Every structure is written in structure tokens, then in C-alpha cells.
């Protein structure tokens, strides 16, 4: 069995359309085994062949499907492995250079059903194996870091402690090295009516409470290939139904996504599912509303929001998804208005992706821009990250970069006070033969 066929079997691993965790390492996968290769070898070495007797050539046998254990392929761990607590063993030390495939799902659109068995499309996937492998490594880091975070995060922890737990784990497991590998954007830990873009600044004394609804949104990347994945943590079971509604809506978006699918159709499906849920909190019943001005998005290299928006409500957008694109499918549900506004102190920033050169008058602004370029490029960052690099007294310089359009601020996004919001998100890849939910895990 050739290496290329093994890689083909691994990369084209098909999982049932039902939502399920990433395939376990021991599951068998069907691989093409050309048994007539051995037959031809035997023919060449036979006495008849050597004597030059003219015989009718043996008819080639048709290819058979032979079950091959993934344990025998290069994509699976070779030894039993248990991660430490806190995580300290890099993912690259756990695998022999090839990382686990996420959940694969066949395209359901009638025009794409041929893709599953197309040899041309399979060849395209084999040619992209290195790219897929890198982003799968980033996904495995995300899975292991969040598994630890879900175990140790408890009420009474400060938001800074929570974020540093996740960020330190990410830096270690991904073997952070400048712009080549590391954290893709600041760890979001938005609470209750705050839906997104909150991470604590230095001195923030906020502590997680038993009745809080916390959205954990963090990213990893290898070579700018980003995994954007989020989940919601609660400790009071009264919020379980809210989480279920949003998780179901996100999985609906994943199921509906595909090559040539219109973005508005995905939004309509998500909206229908989310609005079918009701939750009872404090003796009052709320319909779960999708937050209509928050969206999923396409992802590019070093570009977290690459241009296309995946709505979570019907909006008439006829733009289609295309082969080879990466998308963050994320949904937000709320017991409030279902609309968010910018509020509170800003912590998230990101350099403008395609900005031209802008002359700066403040020397400190020039120096800060150089620090941002060297350490983050066009990836998002927060004030804590600047503090960690030793930057001091940079507020006026940062304001200058914002005022000149070189850096964009992203303040927290909030619904009405007293409401509760939840979020779930996965990164998917629209491969030529199937879609892959890269960040899928046993947890969600």
C-alpha cells in the first residue's frame, strides 16, 4: 500500500452527517488496495514469463476495499499519551508529524454529490496536504487547551487568571515562535450581557461567579492558518437550555454550509432553529433570539475576518461559499434584544489588513507600530499582550495609530443589562471532496 493512498484514506475520512466528535484514532478507514500489483510481480517472476511463453495476460482484478486501521497510518499517535496538568507537552511531540483529521461531512447540495468519489478532487486534496496538516495541528492545540480549561475554570477565579491559563497553555502546546505559530487573537471571556470582544486589561478585578454565563473564545494559528473556536461555560444548570439552543444553531450552520451555498440560506436555517427554543430564568420565559448584528466569517491567512460574513438570520445575501475557503461558523443567542452595541473599556485591537503607508509624527507611535508589526502582524492583540512585551506609557501612541487608521479598536459588544448571551463556534474547511470541521472535539 503506497503512502499516497494512505494519506488519501486519512484525508478523505468520511464521518456520518450527524454531529459527532472528531473520529477516534482507532476507527478503521476504507482504503483502496490494488491487489493486482502483487499479481503482476508474481507474473514477471514466473517460469512462463521467463521462458517467453506467449500466454494470455491475466486480467487485472478490480480494486477491493480493505479496512485499514488508522493506528497503522502516519496520522495517529504511536504511543499511549496523557497530557500533563497544566498542559506542558507540545502537540508536535505527541504525533509523528501528521495530525488528526477533524470531523468530515459530505456535501448535501445536489450539484456537489459527485465530489465524494471524484479522483480529480481527491488529487487536489493530496496536493494540499501540507496546508491541511498545519491547520489540523492548530486545531489539536485548541482541543487540548480547552479540555484543560474546562476542567480547571471555576467560580472565584479572576478573569485575568482564566485568560492566562488558556494563553499559557496555547503558547506551550503550539511552541510559540513569533508570527510562525502562536495565539491568533486575544482570549475572549465575555460575561452575561456582554456577547463578545471582552478580555481583561491590566488591573481588572472581575471574578467569575456561579451565576455567570461566560463565552470563551480563543484562537490558535500555524503560519497564519487560524483556528477560531468558542464555547460557553456555566455552572448554574438554569442556563443549560440557552447553551443547547446556541450549540444546536451552530451545528445547523455547519450542516448547511457547503460549496455554492448562499450565505443567506445558512442564516435562515440558523435563525429558525435558534428561535424554536425557549428558556426559563428567574421564573420568566424568554425566546432565544439570534444576535442579528453578529456573524460568522471567512478566514484568510493572518486575516481573521477575510471578507465574507455568515449571517445568523435571514438577510437576503446571495453571496456563495466557494471551494477551498475557511469559515468560522459561529452563532450567538440572547435573552435580550438580540442586538449588540459597543460599550465598556476597549481591550481588543488589530492592525488594518490592507492599509497603505501613513506618516506618523509621534516617535512613540512609530516605535509601537514596529512592535505590533514584529509580534502580531495583522493578527489581533490586546493591551495585556503589549504589557507582556514590556511596552509602557503607550496609550497616546496607540490612540495615534487608531486615529491614523493603522490600527482598529474592537470594544466589547453588549446586549441590554440583565440579559444573558451564549456563543458556540467552529472553524470549517470546504475541501474539494467534503467539508471538514477542523476544531470539532469530544466536548462540542
Amino acid at each position: 500500500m503506497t503512502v499516497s493512498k494512505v494519506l488519501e484514506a486519512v484525508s478523505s475520512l468520511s464521518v456520518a452527517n450527524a454531529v459527532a466528535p472528531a473520529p477516534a484514532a482507532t476507527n478503521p478507514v476504507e482504503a483502496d488496495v490494488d491487489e493486482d500489483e502483487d499479481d503482476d510481480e508474481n507474473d514477471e517472476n514466473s517460469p512462463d514469463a521467463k521462458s517467453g511463453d506467449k500466454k494470455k495476460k491475466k486480467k487485472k482484478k478490480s480494486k477491493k476495499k480493505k479496512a485499514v486501521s488508522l493506528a497503522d497510518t502516519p496520522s495517529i499517535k504511536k504511543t499511549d499519551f496523557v497530557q500533563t496538568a497544566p498542559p506542558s507537552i507540545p502537540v508536535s511531540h505527541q504525533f509523528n508529524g501528521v495530525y488528526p483529521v477533524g470531523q468530515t461531512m459530505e456535501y448535501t447540495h445536489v450539484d456537489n454529490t459527485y465530489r465524494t468519489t471524484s479522483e480529480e478532487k481527491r488529487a487536489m486534496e493530496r496536493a494540499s496536504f501540507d496546508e491541511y496538516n498545519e491547520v489540523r495541528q492548530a486545531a489539536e492545540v485548541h482541543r487540548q487547551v480547552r479540555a484543560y480549561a474546562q476542567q480547571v475554570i471555576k467560580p472565584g477565579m479572576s478573569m485575568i487568571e482564566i485568560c492566562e491559563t488558556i494563553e499559557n497553555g496555547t503558547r506551550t502546546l503550539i511552541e510559540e515562535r513569533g508570527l510562525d505559530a502562536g495565539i491568533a487573537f486575544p482570549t475572549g471571556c465575555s460575561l452575561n450581557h456582554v456577547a463578545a470582544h471582552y478580555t481583561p486589561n491590566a488591573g481588572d478585578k472581575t471574578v467569575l461567579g456561579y451565576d455567570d454565563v461566560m463565552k470563551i473564545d480563543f484562537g490558535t494559528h500555524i503560519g497564519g492558518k487560524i483556528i477560531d473556536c468558542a464555547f460557553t461555560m456555566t455552572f448554574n444548570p438554569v442556563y443549560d437550555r440557552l447553551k443547547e439552543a446556541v450549540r444546536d444553531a451552530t451545528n445547523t450552520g455547519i450542516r448547511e454550509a457547503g460549496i455554492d451555498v448562499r450565505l443567506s440560506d445558512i442564516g435562515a436555517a440558523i435563525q429558525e432553529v435558534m428561535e424554536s427554543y425557549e428558556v426559563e430564568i428567574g421564573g420568566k420565559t424568554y425566546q432565544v433570539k439570534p444576535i442579528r448584528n453578529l456573524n460568522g466569517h471567512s478566514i484568510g491567512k493572518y486575516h481573521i475576518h477575510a471578507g465574507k460574513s455568515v449571517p445568523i438570520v435571514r438577510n437576503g445575501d446571495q453571496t456563495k461559499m466557494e471551494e477551498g475557503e475557511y469559515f468560522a461558523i459561529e452563532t450567538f443567542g440572547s435573552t435580550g434584544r438580540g442586538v449588540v452595541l459597543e460599550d465598556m473599556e476597549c481591550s481588543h485591537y488589530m492592525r488594518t489588513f490592507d492599509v497603505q503607508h501613513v506618516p506618523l509624527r509621534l516617535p512613540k507611535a512609530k516605535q509601537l507600530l514596529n512592535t505590533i508589526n514584529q509580534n502580531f502582524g495583522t493578527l489581533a492583540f490586546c493591551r495585556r499582550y503589549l504589557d507582556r512585551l514590556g511596552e509602557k506609557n503607550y496609550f497616546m501612541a496607540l490612540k495615534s495609530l487608531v486615529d491614523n487608521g493603522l490600527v482598529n479598536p474592537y470594544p466589547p459588544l453588549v446586549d441590554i443589562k440583565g440579559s444573558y448571551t451564549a456563543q458556540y463556534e467552529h472553524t470549517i474547511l470546504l475541501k474539494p471532496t467534503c467539508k471538514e470541521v477542523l476544531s470539532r472535539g469530544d466536548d462540542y
Side-chain angles (χ1 to χ4, degrees):
M1 182 168 59
T2 64
V3 173
S4 65
K5 288 179 180 177
V6 171
L7 294 181
E8 176 184 345
V10 174
S11 62
S12 63
L13 180 61
S14 179
V15 178
N17 288 341
V19 174
T26 56
N27 287 348
V29 58
E30 297 292 319
D32 285 339
V33 180
D34 197 348
E35 293 186 346
D36 62 271
E37 288 179 2
D38 291 337
D39 293 338
D40 290 345
E41 248 184 88
N42 293 337
D43 288 347
E44 290 173 9
N45 295 326
S46 68
D48 289 341
K50 289 179 180 177
S51 61
D53 290 345
K54 293 182 180 179
K55 287 195 173 185
K56 189 175 182 180
K57 287 187 179 180
K58 182 184 287 187
K59 192 173 183 180
K60 285 191 176 184
K61 296 180 181 179
S62 60
K63 290 186 180 181
K64 295 181 180 179
K65 293 286 185 179
K66 181 179 178 181
V68 179
S69 171
L70 287 183
D72 299 326
T73 72
S75 65
I76 300 304
K77 304 172 189 178
K78 294 298 182 183
T79 59
D80 292 334
F81 172 78
V82 177
Q83 182 59 271
T84 61
S88 64
I89 304 174
V91 166
S92 67
H93 295 188
Q94 304 167 32
F95 298 85
N96 57 354
V98 183
Y99 300 95
V101 178
Q103 179 195 19
T104 57
M105 304 174 72
E106 293 183 3
Y107 294 119
T108 56
H109 193 284
V110 65
D111 293 336
N112 286 321
T113 53
Y114 78 95
R115 292 176 173 273
T116 305
T117 56
S118 168
E119 286 302 324
E120 178 187 359
K121 297 300 182 182
R122 290 188 180 201
M124 293 171 65
E125 286 189 5
R126 288 194 293 272
S128 299
F129 178 78
D130 289 343
E131 174 191 334
Y132 299 165
N133 194 46
E134 285 189 332
V135 75
R136 287 168 183 158
Q137 181 182 1
E140 182 63 22
V141 170
H142 199 287
R143 277 189 289 271
Q144 293 191 23
V145 171
R146 76 185 190 235
Y148 176 70
Q150 289 163 355
Q151 291 174 4
V152 301
I153 293 175
K154 297 290 188 293
M157 293 179 68
S158 72
M159 307 315 291
I160 289 180
E161 185 181 1
I162 290 169
C163 289
E164 289 182 346
T165 296
I166 292 170
E167 291 161 359
N168 290 338
T170 299
R171 292 185 179 107
T172 299
L173 296 198
I174 210 162
E175 298 171 280
E176 184 180 43
R177 49 191 185 278
L179 292 175
D180 292 332
I183 294 170
F185 51 83
T187 303
C189 53
S190 305
L191 296 175
N192 304 325
H193 71 291
V194 182
H197 294 172
Y198 164 77
T199 197
N201 289 322
D204 191 322
K205 305 297 184 184
T206 305
V207 172
L208 179 65
Y210 174 78
D211 289 315
D212 285 332
V213 179
M214 178 173 63
K215 281 71 64 183
I216 295 292
D217 189 352
F218 73 101
T220 58
H221 83 94
I222 301 284
K225 302 171 187 69
I226 298 170
I227 290 293
D228 185 359
C229 186
F231 58 97
T232 298
M233 291 193 72
T234 59
F235 305 92
N236 188 335
V238 73
Y239 305 115
D240 288 352
R241 185 71 172 167
L242 174 62
K243 293 192 298 182
E244 180 186 349
V246 181
R247 187 167 54 244
D248 191 4
T250 295
N251 286 327
T252 297
I254 292 169
R255 185 178 64 248
E256 296 296 321
I259 296 169
D260 293 333
V261 174
R262 289 181 173 84
L263 299 178
S264 180
D265 293 342
I266 299 173
I270 290 171
Q271 181 177 11
E272 181 179 3
V273 168
M274 193 177 299
E275 290 181 347
S276 70
Y277 282 83
E278 291 183 340
V279 298
E280 184 176 339
I281 301 173
K284 187 175 180 180
T285 301
Y286 302 87
Q287 181 186 42
V288 181
K289 299 176 183 176
I291 300 179
R292 59 181 57 250
N293 57 336
L294 289 179
N295 306 294
H297 48 89
S298 57
I299 302 175
K301 193 172 183 179
Y302 294 104
H303 198 184
I304 187 64
H305 289 182
K308 291 183 180 179
S309 293
V310 184
I312 62 175
V313 294
R314 181 184 290 103
N315 70 352
D317 187 349
Q318 298 301 300
T319 305
K320 293 182 179 181
M321 291 180 161
E322 299 177 57
E323 181 180 306
E325 289 184 317
Y326 292 80
F327 283 92
I329 304 297
E330 62 180 321
T331 71
F332 296 82
S334 175
T335 62
R337 294 174 303 189
V339 176
V340 291
L341 304 172
E342 294 181 351
D343 194 16
M344 303 166 53
E345 182 180 50
C346 186
S347 56
H348 284 56
Y349 298 86
M350 186 164 61
R351 204 192 79 194
T352 306
F353 189 78
D354 55 358
V355 70
Q356 302 299 317
H357 173 73
V358 176
L360 297 170
R361 297 178 60 183
L362 289 177
K364 178 64 177 176
K366 295 178 183 179
Q367 179 267 317
L368 182 62
L369 180 60
N370 186 53
T371 296
I372 293 169
N373 287 336
Q374 289 182 352
N375 292 277
F376 311 113
T378 53
L379 296 173
F381 60 94
C382 63
R383 282 159 52 179
R384 281 187 299 107
Y385 294 179
L386 295 177
D387 299 338
R388 187 173 182 270
L389 292 170
E391 289 292 332
K392 299 182 184 301
N393 303 319
Y394 55 79
F395 295 108
M396 288 303 297
L398 184 57
K399 183 178 184 302
S400 175
L401 296 179
V402 170
D403 291 343
N404 281 280
L406 292 167
V407 169
N408 290 314
Y410 295 90
L413 300 171
V414 306
D415 204 328
I416 56 174
K417 286 186 178 181
S419 65
Y420 295 94
T421 60
Q423 173 196 16
Y424 279 92
E425 176 180 25
H426 275 299
T427 296
I428 69 170
L429 165 60
L430 303 182
K431 298 193 299 184
T433 68
C434 63
K435 57 189 167 188
E436 182 176 340
V437 189
L438 293 159
S439 51
R440 181 73 79 192
D442 293 332
D443 48 356
Y444 65 93

